Structure formats: C-alpha cells, structure tokens
C-alpha cells in the first residue's frame, strides 16, 4: 500500500492465492517487487515531486 497505493484486494489476491504467490518469495519486499513487475505497477514515488 505504501509503495503502490493498492492493497491486496485491489490487486485481486485472496488468501489462497496470496499464500501461493508468497511461497515463491519468502521476503515480503521481494514479493512486492515481484507483484509490481508482474502487473507493471508504477511506484507512487514516481509521481511525487521532490
């Protein structure tokens, strides 16, 4: 949510699918990066002015 402004419901993950996907990567940060790349998400930081 903090990086891409969506939550798991927005991404379409239910508990079973989340468990399956998370099993591919034990590190939460890697999982977020994986999902972001898979769905071609743009980080909210890309839209914030310095």
């Amino acid at each position: 949510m903090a990086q891409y402004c969506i939550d798991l419901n927005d991404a379409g993950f239910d508990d079973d699918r989340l468990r399956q996907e998370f099993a591919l990567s034990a590190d939460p940060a890697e999982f977020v990066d994986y999902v972001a790349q898979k769905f071609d998400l743009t980080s909210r930081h890309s839209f914030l002015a310095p």
Side-chain angles (χ1 to χ4, degrees):
M1 183 70 153
Q3 254 181 311
Y4 296 99
C5 299
I6 64 170
D7 62 17
L8 294 173
N9 290 327
D10 294 332
F13 286 100
D14 61 11
D15 285 340
D16 290 334
R17 176 132 185 246
L18 178 61
R19 290 176 204 275
Q20 289 175 336
E21 296 285 342
F22 191 69
L24 298 174
S25 173
D27 180 28
E30 287 180 13
F31 175 71
V32 170
D33 290 340
Y34 163 76
V35 171
Q37 186 175 31
K38 182 176 180 177
F39 294 105
D40 195 28
L41 300 178
T42 302
S43 171
R44 73 178 185 97
H45 300 290
S46 296
F47 293 102
L48 297 176

